[in-house]
Amino acid sequence: GAVVSQHPSRVICKSGTSVKIECRSLDFQATTMFWYRQFPKQSLMLMATSNEGSKATYEQGVEKDKFLINHASLTLSTLTVTSAHPEDSSFYICSASVRGTVNEQFFGPGTRLTVL
Amino acid sequence: AQSVTQPDIHITVSEGASLELRCNYSYGATPYLFWYVQSPGQGLQLLLKYFSGDTLVQGIKGFEAEFKRSQSSFNLRKPSVHWSDAAEYFCAVGAWGGGNKLTFGTGTQLKVEL
């Protein structure tokens, strides 16, 4: 149980285009989803937290107009990188949790974005 | 706000040797703590977690970790390392009532020599 999927696993796009990454909880309802960014050989940096049906909360320094997050249902959250540039190239990981006092985050396998 | 320090960026051990990966946290109250493992190009797999209770927790793949409040530590151990354990290991801390947000350490890259 507690499986989270991401699609696509890899994407290459041209500079200036937009890319959408999907994160799905396959066997549970995720009231909260998190989006992380990971640079090579570095730790995970939280970008934003999204709760189903409400606007995402972005961490300081993350451009909300560039990284659009939608959490339209209890099993799906999307991250859209708008007008992508080479510096947006990174490994993006989502996680999902169920609301409660203490909850684990269940992580997706990640999406490798390369912007040419 | 909470923080996590993993002092060792790289560790190399021989297969069959014991392993200890260090994790120190900073938080004003009792945190909840996790160890995750990440293989190259993959997501994170949970090894073990501490929420409360017994301070020695057992995880998957023969790993264990001990929560030591006095030292603000949550070190990961394995008595005998296998070549397949080579990966990146992350310690993470969460705060009770903190909206389930986790703060990750910078990770420790484990290399296993055959």
Side-chain angles (χ1 to χ4, degrees):
Chain A
V3 179
V4 176
S5 69
Q6 278 185 244
H7 178 79
S9 58
R10 293 177 180 269
V11 56
I12 301 173
C13 69
K14 293 182 178 180
S15 184
T17 62
S18 295
V19 174
K20 179 184 285 187
I21 302 170
E22 292 186 347
C23 176
R24 293 181 184 272
S25 56
L26 299 184
D27 51 4
F28 67 101
Q29 293 186 327
T31 49
T32 305
M33 287 185 168
F34 303 86
W35 286 95
Y36 294 86
R37 183 173 181 177
Q38 186 180 31
F39 290 103
K41 300 189 183 300
Q42 294 189 27
S43 188
L44 282 73
M45 300 300 296
L46 180 65
M47 299 174 65
T49 303
S50 74
N51 292 296
E52 184 266 338
S54 60
K55 290 183 178 180
T57 301
Y58 291 81
E59 296 298 302
Q60 191 172 8
V62 178
E63 299 176 62
K64 61 180 181 181
D65 294 330
K66 180 164 188 65
F67 298 100
L68 301 179
I69 292 171
N70 182 278
H71 192 166
S73 77
L74 287 171
T75 60
L76 174 64
S77 176
T78 60
L79 167 67
T80 301
V81 183
T82 62
S83 186
H85 291 282
E87 57 265 30
D88 298 324
S89 299
S90 191
F91 194 56
Y92 293 88
I93 303 176
C94 75
S95 69
S97 69
V98 178
R99 186 178 296 131
T101 305
V102 176
N103 289 292
E104 296 176 39
Q105 292 183 28
F106 302 97
F107 286 82
T111 296
R112 171 72 61 192
L113 170 63
T114 302
V115 185
L116 302 177
Chain B
Q2 63 267 32
S3 66
V4 180
T5 301
Q6 291 181 247
D8 304 304
I9 299 174
H10 299 281
I11 282 185
T12 300
V13 298
S14 299
E15 189 175 37
S18 63
L19 171 70
E20 182 170 31
L21 302 183
R22 295 183 291 167
C23 172
N24 293 98
Y25 68 90
S26 174
Y27 181 58
T30 301
Y32 54 94
L33 297 152
F34 303 88
W35 274 100
Y36 290 91
V37 60
Q38 184 182 34
S39 297
Q42 302 295 315
L44 274 67
Q45 181 182 23
L46 178 68
L47 287 176
L48 46 77
K49 60 191 177 188
Y50 172 79
F51 288 166
S52 64
D54 193 348
T55 57
L56 182 64
V57 293
Q58 302 296 321
I60 63 171
K61 303 184 179 184
F63 285 94
E64 66 177 27
E66 186 171 11
F67 171 64
K68 292 186 177 180
R69 185 192 307 272
S70 62
Q71 298 177 21
S72 297
S73 68
F74 188 57
N75 294 348
L76 181 71
R77 301 192 294 248
K78 186 170 184 177
S80 178
V81 171
H82 189 263
W83 64 267
S84 60
D85 293 325
E88 185 89 20
Y89 291 80
F90 292 98
C91 180
V93 62
W96 293 82
N100 301 332
K101 289 172 64 173
L102 295 180
T103 300
F104 284 83
T106 50
T108 298
Q109 182 71 47
L110 174 64
K111 180 180 177 181
V112 180
E113 293 182 332
L114 300 176

